Amino acid sequence: MSNTVDTAIILELSRELDKLRKEQESCLLEINKLHKKLQSSPEVVEKSSDELLGKLRELYHKFKELSEKEVILLMTLNNEVDSFILHAVHRRKDGSEQKKKRMKADVDISRLSLAGSMRSQLELAACLKDEQVAARVTPDGAEEDEWIVVKVIHFDREAKEFEVLDEEPGDDEEGGGQRKYKLHMSRIIPFPKRIDPSSAPDFPTGRHVLAVYPGTTALYKATVVNAHRKKKTDDYLLEFDDDEEEDGSLPQRTVPFHKVVPLPEGHRQ
């Protein structure tokens, strides 16, 4: 993936995050207005309590949904920026001392600009408890990492570490069983909310993604065939790498929007 594409993705995610936070601010203003009205006008509460409290419940629910969307955006943006920075460091490592100093300054500025977002990300990571996410794990005896679907059990804010559960039984010599992993947050990618198709990005045709292969709980590299998701179901139409038919063609497979995430930089699967 080129630097131009990486930058475009980061800018797109940043715009989405800015728009989302404006929605949060507007929602919070409405909540505060209702709070003041309820506190300053007890007679209003007595006359129309059901209506006002119902409106307040709707606003709370909306703000909760916006916060959950923010978790997904922040973690995705963090992964994209980290990947971009690492790629830049690798590409420029043989440059002159002046270039290295300039590069370090650029990296420091990038990380500083993300400091506020990182704090919010840590605060909101707890929202992923009991949610399914994509996780990069290293199974016992395996030479390479794998991406699988796991369930979040706990988030350690200090260590920035998730405890997750692989709910699929293993196939080891002892008969298998569910496995737990402790993974740094950089190894976790949240899925879009199943109940909210708008939380899923609109990947352009030809974009590489990481998706759950139908009938499994493993994620593999795939290519978006059509930029427009299917109506009603909001499914993506994808072609998985190394999924050739006997004639060498790649079948087009339908994958639910809540089982597809951006392809991490450096993915080799």
Side-chain angles (χ1 to χ4, degrees), residues 26-42:
S26 176
C27 184
L28 193 57
L29 285 173
E30 291 298 318
I31 290 174
N32 288 335
K33 285 181 182 179
L34 276 182
H35 281 173
K36 289 181 180 179
K37 189 171 184 178
L38 291 170
Q39 291 172 355
S40 62
S41 306

Side-chain angles (χ1 to χ4, degrees), residues 67 96 103 108 134 147 157 193 242:
S67 297
S96 64
M103 178 184 64
D108 289 343
W147 282 92
R157 178 187 171 87
K193 288 290 181 182
D242 303 321

Side-chain angles (χ1 to χ4, degrees), residues 209-226:
V209 296
L210 200 60
V212 178
Y213 189 84
T216 76
T217 56
L219 292 94
Y220 299 94
K221 181 181 177 182
T223 303
V224 177
V225 176
N226 193 326

Side-chain angles (χ1 to χ4, degrees), residues 209 211 222-225 236-240 251-255 260:
V209 296
T223 303
V224 177
V225 176
Y236 290 103
L237 193 60
L238 308 175
E239 289 180 349
F240 285 87
Q252 296 181 353
R253 302 191 184 278
T254 300
V255 180
V260 181

Side-chain angles (χ1 to χ4, degrees), residues 1 79-80 83 147 189 209-210 261-268:
M1 187 180 297
N79 287 337
E80 290 287 346
S83 296
W147 282 92
I189 303 179
V209 296
L210 200 60
V261 297
L263 182 74
E265 181 73 18
H267 179 74
R268 296 181 179 180

Side-chain angles (χ1 to χ4, degrees), residues 138-249:
T138 307
D140 292 341
E143 296 182 359
E144 296 184 358
D145 291 343
E146 298 177 0
W147 282 92
I148 62 173
V149 178
V150 298
K151 179 180 178 180
V152 174
I153 300 175
H154 175 70
F155 177 68
D156 185 333
R157 178 187 171 87
E158 295 300 322
K160 298 179 183 177
E161 188 176 71
F162 282 94
E163 182 178 2
V164 299
L165 175 67
D166 177 7
E167 299 178 281
E168 284 294 303
D171 55 0
D172 54 32
E173 295 180 357
E174 297 181 0
Q178 297 179 336
R179 293 201 55 189
K180 290 183 180 180
Y181 296 92
K182 287 189 176 180
L183 304 171
H184 187 270
M185 60 193 305
S186 62
R187 285 177 167 254
I188 297 291
I189 303 179
F191 286 119
K193 288 290 181 182
R194 183 189 295 264
I195 60 174
D196 184 11
S198 66
S199 66
D202 291 321
F203 296 115
T205 300
R207 173 71 191 275
H208 295 311
V209 296
L210 200 60
V212 178
Y213 189 84
T216 76
T217 56
L219 292 94
Y220 299 94
K221 181 181 177 182
T223 303
V224 177
V225 176
N226 193 326
H228 301 288
R229 281 178 275 161
K230 291 186 175 182
K231 294 181 179 180
K232 295 183 180 180
T233 61
D234 278 293
D235 292 342
Y236 290 103
L237 193 60
L238 308 175
E239 289 180 349
F240 285 87
D241 287 15
D242 303 321
D243 189 29
E244 296 93 345
E245 300 281 14
E246 292 184 0
D247 60 2
S249 63

